[in-house]
Amino acid sequence: MNKFLYSCLVLLSLCVTSFGQTCKTQTFTSNQVFTNCSDLSVLNSYLHWTYNQSAGTVDIAFRNTQTSTSRWTAWAINPNGPQMVGSQSLVALQNSSGQIHVYTTSLDSTSPSMDETDLSFPVSNLKGTFANSEMTIYATLHLPSNLLSTSQVWQEGPVSNGKPAAHATTGANGNSVGSIDFRSGASTSGGSKTTSKQKRKNTHGVISAVSWGILMPMGVIIARYMKVFKAANPAWFYLHIVCQSSAYVIGVAGWGLGLKLGKDSVGIEYTKHRSIGITLFVFGTLQVFALLLRPKPDHKYRLYWNIYHHALGYTTVILAIVNIFEGFNILSPDDKWKRAYVGILITLGVIAAVLEAVTWVIVIKRKKADSAKYDNGVNGANGVNGYGDRTHA
């Protein structure tokens, strides 16, 4: 009985919510009717859709109210999460001839060109209307099964010289993201929910930054500067090994997660970020083999091994830092995260600069001391003016 009452209450609440939706009262040209609709939380926007399982298509109508012909409107799905970068977008604006122009564009950066491009999936029946201060975009999306439940993004902004200009990034414009499940009819909006894919992306970013971008440079600093201090020998070597081995193991885990994210993001490719990531994995693996094949200090090939090991190590650190900033551009996190990482790099740089100066002082002093010992040794062996200590008759 209690379960029955609970079910009735849930059903009643869903009905009240449904009848309270503004989208339920909206109508369209040609008396088109959609199965589902959702009142999006910000920017006076509404999404209507019908999922056709047999055809594998979704008919959608996105409506932005209380707007004007001097502004553009866009709606998108994003397999990479509730964010702008990676969005597969439908854009509508009034062109110079007074017609509503609707086109597709894929957003690959935080400052996209908004030029017309193909999406990662086919789109048909694309059109738009403007009436009564309402811009409406119509389209049929031919979606693969992995995009039937994904993130959605919508936006609006001013038109400049016939093209979409930059929109605001705070307030309602900063919260115009959510999720959509075209099969079940579930929809969320408001930007407060982090999807599981976004969590994996964040995890990938943190792991990669800590391993390749922090531990790896720390290991290089340890190897370059600690070995100068006699008291640190051989502790510096083991610290270097632990630091670099940890960085490699953690980094490979992050690299593997990145490959999985790439596989799950159909049609979205970050070629530069991916290529550098693969290169880092190769270089890191070569460094592991280099450790296993390290010649003894007095071996005739030790000099060549040192050149190879140092060159590959410094190159790996540089590429890692470059790729971390590529990751920042892709994830578009709050500025505080990028500032924090820049602060860590500056701190490591200052430490390295101070140690560089200190080690040069130590090396120069040692060379002078060794030179003085050598001179004293020569003079002691040969005597004054090189004649040695002779006994004269």
Side-chain angles (χ1 to χ4, degrees):
M1 184 67 179
N2 290 336
K3 289 183 177 179
F4 174 77
L5 290 174
Y6 176 76
S7 300
C8 290
L9 288 172
V10 171
L11 182 61
L12 179 61
S13 66
L14 289 174
C15 290
V16 171
T17 301
S18 177
F19 285 117
Q21 287 182 300
T22 300
C23 66
K24 291 291 184 180
T25 65
Q26 294 176 335
T27 58
F28 301 94
T29 57
S30 303
N31 296 319
Q32 190 170 2
V33 178
F34 296 89
T35 306
N36 301 284
C37 74
S38 175
D39 291 5
L40 303 180
S41 59
V42 293
L43 299 180
N44 304 306
S45 299
Y46 308 86
L47 180 67
H48 301 252
W49 74 93
T50 297
Y51 170 53
N52 187 331
Q53 183 176 2
S54 59
T57 60
V58 179
D59 295 316
I60 69 102
F62 172 75
R63 175 165 288 174
N64 179 212
T65 64
Q66 300 181 33
T67 187
S68 69
T69 54
S70 63
R71 301 187 71 78
W72 56 267
T73 293
W75 176 85
I77 61 173
N78 192 339
N80 288 338
Q83 61 182 28
M84 181 175 75
V85 178
S87 293
Q88 306 295 291
S89 308
L90 312 177
V91 183
L93 52 78
Q94 181 173 284
N95 58 25
S96 58
S97 62
Q99 301 297 313
I100 300 302
H101 176 53
V102 183
Y103 67 94
T104 60
T105 183
S106 180
L107 308 185
D108 56 2
S109 71
T110 54
S111 300
S113 64
M114 297 294 286
D115 292 334
E116 186 169 348
T117 61
D118 291 334
L119 302 186
S120 62
F121 50 85
V123 177
S124 58
N125 302 323
L126 193 60
K127 64 179 182 179
T129 61
F130 181 83
N132 303 318
S133 300
E134 296 179 344
M135 185 77 79
T136 306
I137 299 173
Y138 300 90
T140 298
L141 313 180
H142 302 258
L143 297 176
S145 59
N146 65 308
L147 291 183
L148 292 175
S149 179
T150 186
S151 297
Q152 64 172 330
V153 184
W154 63 100
Q155 198 55 259
E156 64 88 36
V159 174
S160 177
N161 298 321
K163 294 188 63 176
H167 61 79
T169 56
T170 58
N173 295 83
N175 288 315
S176 55
V177 295
S179 64
I180 181 74
D181 191 323
F182 294 114
R183 285 173 295 198
S184 69
S187 174
T188 65
S189 60
S192 60
K193 184 179 179 180
T194 302
T195 65
S196 60
K197 180 177 286 187
Q198 185 64 33
K199 289 179 180 178
R200 294 199 304 272
K201 289 176 70 176
N202 293 340
T203 302
H204 164 70
V206 171
I207 288 176
S208 300
V210 170
S211 57
W212 299 106
I214 298 177
L215 286 176
M216 197 73 74
M218 285 176 59
V220 171
I221 291 173
I222 289 170
R224 178 169 177 80
Y225 301 114
M226 283 190 65
K227 62 183 177 183
V228 176
F229 302 94
K230 292 181 179 180
N233 191 35
W236 71 265
F237 175 74
Y238 297 111
L239 283 174
H240 173 66
I241 294 298
V242 169
C243 200
Q244 301 304 71
S245 298
S246 300
Y248 177 74
V249 172
I250 298 171
V252 168
W255 177 75
L257 180 56
L259 291 181
K260 181 64 168 61
L261 286 167
K263 183 180 179 181
D264 293 343
S265 303
V266 179
I268 304 298
E269 290 188 9
Y270 300 105
T271 305
K272 184 178 179 181
H273 185 66
R274 185 174 184 270
S275 299
I276 296 177
I278 293 173
T279 303
L280 286 172
F281 170 73
V282 172
F283 283 5
T285 304
L286 287 174
Q287 288 289 63
V288 171
F289 284 115
L291 173 65
L292 300 176
L293 300 174
R294 184 172 62 101
K296 292 183 178 181
D298 56 350
H299 196 280
K300 62 180 180 179
Y301 292 127
R302 181 58 181 259
L303 174 63
Y304 304 107
W305 184 90
N306 285 341
I307 294 172
Y308 156 81
H309 183 61
H310 295 162
L312 200 61
Y314 289 131
T315 303
T316 300
V317 169
I318 293 170
L319 285 177
I321 293 172
V322 170
N323 214 29
I324 287 167
F325 282 101
E326 282 292 318
F328 278 127
N329 292 334
I330 293 170
L331 281 175
S332 300
D334 292 339
D335 288 341
K336 64 182 180 181
W337 298 108
K338 184 181 287 188
R339 288 196 297 267
Y341 182 64
V342 170
I344 291 172
L345 289 182
I346 292 173
T347 301
L348 291 176
V350 170
I351 292 172
V354 171
L355 289 175
E356 185 74 25
V358 171
T359 52
W360 271 108
V361 171
I362 293 173
V363 169
I364 291 172
K365 285 184 176 180
R366 282 181 184 169
K367 284 185 176 180
K368 288 182 177 180
D370 291 343
S371 178
K373 287 180 180 179
Y374 176 77
D375 291 340
N376 291 335
V378 171
N379 291 332
N382 296 331
V384 180
N385 296 325
Y387 288 103
D389 186 12
R390 298 181 180 178
T391 302
H392 299 279

